[in-house]
Amino acid sequence: MAPHMAEWDEKEIFPVETMRKAAQLGFGGIYVKPDVGGSGLSRLDTSIIFEALSTGCTSTTAYMSIHNMCVWMIDTFGNEEQRRRFCPSLCSMEKFASYCLTEPGSGSDAASLLTSAQRKGDTYVLNGSKAFISGGGDTDVYVVMCRTGGPGPKGISCLVLEKGMPGLSFGKKERKVGWNSQPTRAVIFEDCVVPVGNRLGAEGQGFSIAMQGLNGGRINIASCSLGAAHASVLLAQEHLTVRKQFGEPLANNQYLQFRLAEMATRLLAARLMVRNAARALQDGREDAAVLCSMAKLFATDECFGICNQALQMHGGYGYLKDYAVQQFVRDIRVHQILEGTNEVMRMIVARNLLQG
């Protein structure tokens, strides 16, 4: 991915064939069960894989992490027929998936979503829209949270939609600061008819399914931040060695040496925190959700700071698109916003502490 990262960003290319090559290595359903084509690996394995891939292209890896989350949701909460219908083609990345929770009027307050699904016989009729959907319009399968009951989280169900269903359409492609190797669009439902057989779990279980998916998603996106920060530390290290000012390499400057040491230390601290949360989630520990929130908060904040400091070390060169460090800065800025903003992560942690 690394040789193509800049081109995919500049030309806004969704690198389908490259991702299918990744799927041949087992990266299309990393923590999905093997009987439907998954790799059956652990959350810890997944974190290591996404960090490594993210050093090559953070934006593409971040999309792959969302795809993996969607496949896991179908694998975990779907019945046997749904698992066998959807998972094999998603694990091979013959088909791609999108996660549809956020709406124009409900971001952090996800439980207030308005997209409605009215039951009519053996179908649901969907009306509403979703915002900021990664892959929207280019992907094939949409895991959609919608309201089948009353207000609040208990009225939300989870439906799996397929591209081409009547009443399913998409907004314009959004113009973004980063994450340009994946398209982002609104997903629109206008009397969209979906078979009841496409519902994951029971009616009213959707919000719980969405949040369980996001626990893993938070580790995944934090792992993508680790990869970007790791790559940025290496780029800064190289630049300090090569660039000369005041008659000697920047690497001889003790201030910059100390900053580099701090960057490497913060990266390691963030990595250990993410890996610890991944193990907790894998083991089903009671504190897994709060550890995932802590890891996402800490790693995405710290890693953005590391990438930004690496850009500063490059001086004016860091602001040129010829140098990869600026793309890592642009691509991971959004990690502090999505999969639950870092403000919401603080709310989750604080609530856990105060409820004691």
Side-chain angles (χ1 to χ4, degrees):
M1 293 194 288
H4 304 287
M5 180 176 102
E7 182 190 6
W8 294 343
D9 174 66
E10 187 181 348
K11 296 180 181 175
E12 300 192 359
I13 294 167
F14 191 42
V16 167
E17 293 310 318
T18 302
M19 289 191 285
R20 285 179 178 149
K21 285 180 186 172
Q24 288 172 15
L25 298 171
F27 300 157
I30 300 171
Y31 50 106
V32 172
K33 296 183 194 75
D35 67 323
V36 287
S39 297
L41 296 177
S42 72
R43 300 297 188 138
L44 182 59
D45 298 325
T46 305
S47 175
I48 293 164
I49 289 166
F50 284 142
E51 177 179 351
L53 291 177
S54 190
T55 64
C57 180
T58 302
S59 166
T60 305
T61 306
Y63 168 73
M64 289 173 62
S65 81
I66 295 165
H67 171 91
N68 269 265
M69 178 175 71
C70 292
V71 191
W72 175 82
M73 289 166 72
I74 296 170
D75 179 41
T76 304
F77 299 101
N79 58 35
E80 277 305 301
E81 186 275 328
Q82 291 167 334
R83 291 179 68 242
R84 299 195 182 282
R85 176 156 49 116
F86 291 113
C87 292
S89 60
L90 291 171
C91 287
S92 68
M93 285 188 149
E94 174 196 336
K95 292 186 175 178
F96 295 93
S98 290
Y99 177 84
C100 303
L101 175 64
T102 300
E103 295 184 0
S106 64
S108 293
D109 184 15
S112 70
L113 65 84
L114 295 175
T115 294
S116 65
Q118 288 192 314
R119 180 82 179 252
K120 290 196 176 173
D122 58 358
T123 64
Y124 288 102
V125 180
L126 265 71
N127 281 286
S129 65
K130 298 291 178 179
F132 308 130
I133 303 306
S134 294
D138 283 43
T139 50
D140 310 282
V141 173
Y142 296 84
V143 180
V144 179
M145 309 308 146
C146 50
R147 190 162 300 285
T148 52
K154 290 188 169 61
I156 295 169
S157 299
C158 180
L159 301 180
V160 181
L161 276 65
E162 295 171 84
K163 192 176 182 180
M165 283 181 164
L168 175 62
S169 62
F170 308 96
K172 66 174 177 59
K173 185 176 172 183
E174 304 289 3
R175 297 173 63 239
K176 307 192 297 293
V177 170
W179 271 31
N180 288 317
S181 70
Q182 48 167 302
T184 302
R185 294 184 179 90
V187 178
I188 302 158
F189 316 103
E190 296 171 294
D191 291 330
C192 181
V193 178
V194 183
V196 169
N198 281 31
R199 188 187 69 222
L200 294 184
E203 275 201 5
Q205 197 184 348
F207 194 73
S208 170
I209 292 172
M211 292 304 108
Q212 288 181 66
L214 280 179
N215 285 334
R218 285 164 184 161
I219 294 172
N220 295 346
I221 217 68
S223 301
C224 292
S225 289
L226 293 174
H230 181 86
S232 296
V233 168
L234 294 178
L235 290 171
Q237 191 180 327
E238 182 187 16
H239 186 77
L240 294 184
T241 308
V242 173
R243 174 74 167 159
K244 289 186 176 178
Q245 285 292 281
F246 305 104
E248 58 182 345
L250 290 178
N252 290 358
N253 182 296
Q254 193 179 50
Y255 172 79
L256 295 175
Q257 291 173 5
F258 282 7
R259 293 314 300 260
L260 190 66
E262 288 165 9
M263 288 157 68
T265 303
R266 287 157 59 199
L267 173 58
L268 182 58
R271 181 182 289 130
L272 292 172
M273 203 163 175
V274 173
R275 303 284 198 259
N276 179 58
R279 282 195 194 93
L281 189 61
Q282 185 68 36
D283 296 343
R285 278 172 44 184
E286 197 177 327
D287 59 351
V290 75
L291 289 174
C292 291
S293 298
M294 285 179 169
K296 194 267 184 185
L297 164 64
F298 187 80
T300 58
D301 275 357
E302 288 297 317
C303 290
F304 179 77
I306 291 165
C307 292
N308 201 34
Q309 180 60 50
L311 188 154
Q312 184 72 16
M313 286 175 165
H314 280 71
Y317 292 104
Y319 207 63
L320 300 180
K321 289 200 171 179
D322 300 324
Y323 288 75
V325 68
Q326 52 75 32
Q327 190 174 335
F328 286 120
V329 171
R330 287 188 291 111
D331 280 343
I332 72 160
R333 178 59 185 86
V334 75
H335 296 189
Q336 295 165 286
I337 298 171
L338 46 77
E339 309 272 356
T341 65
N342 284 6
E343 289 71 28
V344 169
M345 297 306 97
R346 290 175 172 89
M347 284 166 57
I348 292 169
V349 174
R351 188 184 305 142
N352 179 267
L353 289 168
L354 294 170
Q355 286 174 350

